[in-house]
Amino acid sequence: MSKIIVLIGAPGAGKGTQARLLQERLGVPQISTGDMFREMKDADTPLAKEVREILASGKLVPDEVTFEMVKERTARDDCKGTYILDGFPRTPVQAEMLEQLSEEQGKPISAILVDVSFDDLEKRLTGRRSCPVCGEIYNIHFKAPKQEGRCDLHPEAELLHRADDTSEKVTVRLETYEENTKPLLEYYEKSGRLQKVDGKRLPEEIYKELESLLAVNNVAA
Ligand code: AMP
């Protein structure tokens, strides 16, 4: 049976990577509202201007605007079967709107949380460093370079630490996620529609578990 899969995960949990793998390997369309807004903001329309300003502020686009976009996108042919929502719903109002869409489309909702503890997320994000030459990603906690602060292949280059991966910014990003998403997790859990995968493992291992969850749901069968 076709479903609407809501993929939930904190910054650093690897949700985006998994959504892309599912799309590539199983052909399940991945609808990312964040990606859609980023694409939309470059157009020359009044709505694009509004979206541009909201995105720059880090706030959320109004629920109605977001829902209309999701509704339109999921009405296309490629979403006739199961599809994955990434970044939507993000508020309880949006969750209600999705119930309405689920009814209209005749597809039940199944939410999947890529679960990583806050402690680990903090280490993943604050410990992340990248080489400015080859883009190789290191982590001072889990995958340290041979020489501190230097790429193994390009020791002449000092490793970069992203501005939003500093301890202070990471705390804010994780708190924002917690505040917005916790009610959604409770909402899906209470109605028996939440499944969890352990996001602490390697991407390929997480993917295997997701794939088997979807097979149980008759999506990947
Ligand atoms: P993301 O890439 O998912 O972090 O989204 C980037 C930005 O797009 C967010 O900071 C919001 O401004 C906007 N956005 C994405 N999804 C939603 C949503 N479901 N509701 C409202 N705004 C959203």
Side-chain angles (χ1 to χ4, degrees):
M1 181 189 212
S2 295
K3 289 204 161 201
I4 300 174
I5 309 280
V6 173
L7 206 54
I8 305 172
K15 167 177 64 87
T17 307
Q18 295 300 327
R20 271 191 296 278
L21 287 175
L22 288 168
Q23 173 156 8
E24 272 167 34
R25 298 181 186 177
L26 299 181
V28 184
Q30 173 222 348
I31 314 299
S32 156
T33 44
D35 284 352
M36 286 166 84
F37 284 131
R38 276 185 289 276
E39 275 166 32
M40 185 200 273
K41 77 179 173 30
D42 297 325
D44 188 19
T45 64
L47 180 60
K49 185 169 177 274
E50 194 187 330
V51 167
R52 204 157 42 234
E53 282 163 12
I54 295 171
L55 258 67
S57 74
K59 291 187 189 145
L60 292 181
V61 177
D63 290 331
E64 283 295 338
V65 175
T66 308
F67 181 60
E68 275 311 308
M69 186 179 75
V70 170
K71 203 171 164 179
E72 217 170 87
R73 175 63 188 87
T74 60
R76 291 197 210 149
D77 276 355
D78 63 337
C79 292
K80 281 223 169 80
T82 294
Y83 59 83
I84 300 168
L85 290 177
D86 173 3
F88 184 91
R90 240 187 175 86
T91 65
V93 174
Q94 292 182 5
E96 285 296 330
M97 290 168 154
L98 186 61
E99 298 294 349
Q100 182 196 323
L101 192 67
S102 146
E103 224 160 85
E104 277 170 28
Q105 296 182 343
K107 289 177 200 169
I109 299 167
S110 185
I112 302 180
L113 170 70
V114 181
D115 199 13
V116 181
S117 75
F118 264 49
D119 201 33
D120 282 328
L121 288 170
E122 205 161 30
K123 281 192 184 137
R124 277 193 199 183
L125 294 164
T126 58
R128 186 158 65 178
R129 303 286 186 275
S130 64
C131 173
V133 180
C134 65
E136 180 69 13
I137 309 275
Y138 294 89
N139 190 294
I140 58 169
H141 305 293
F142 311 116
K143 190 191 163 196
K146 292 191 184 105
Q147 191 191 338
E148 194 186 326
R150 303 274 160 183
C151 176
D152 293 348
L153 301 173
H154 305 95
E156 72 281 7
E158 197 172 333
L159 293 178
L160 298 175
H161 188 192
R162 257 172 59 169
D164 58 352
D165 280 347
T166 58
S167 176
E168 190 188 327
K169 292 274 167 60
V170 164
T171 306
V172 174
R173 284 162 72 199
L174 293 178
E175 277 171 3
T176 307
Y177 168 79
E178 172 109 333
E179 193 182 311
N180 290 322
T181 312
K182 219 167 188 180
L184 292 181
L185 290 179
E186 282 163 12
Y187 178 80
Y188 288 121
E189 191 146 42
K190 270 194 195 135
S191 49
R193 291 177 295 174
L194 183 70
Q195 292 171 300
K196 293 179 188 174
V197 299
D198 176 5
K200 211 184 160 186
R201 295 155 312 154
L202 295 170
E204 281 298 336
E205 291 170 352
I206 301 171
Y207 176 77
K208 277 202 195 105
E209 194 181 337
L210 268 178
E211 203 182 44
S212 56
L213 266 188
L214 295 179
V216 170
N217 283 310
N218 288 327
V219 172

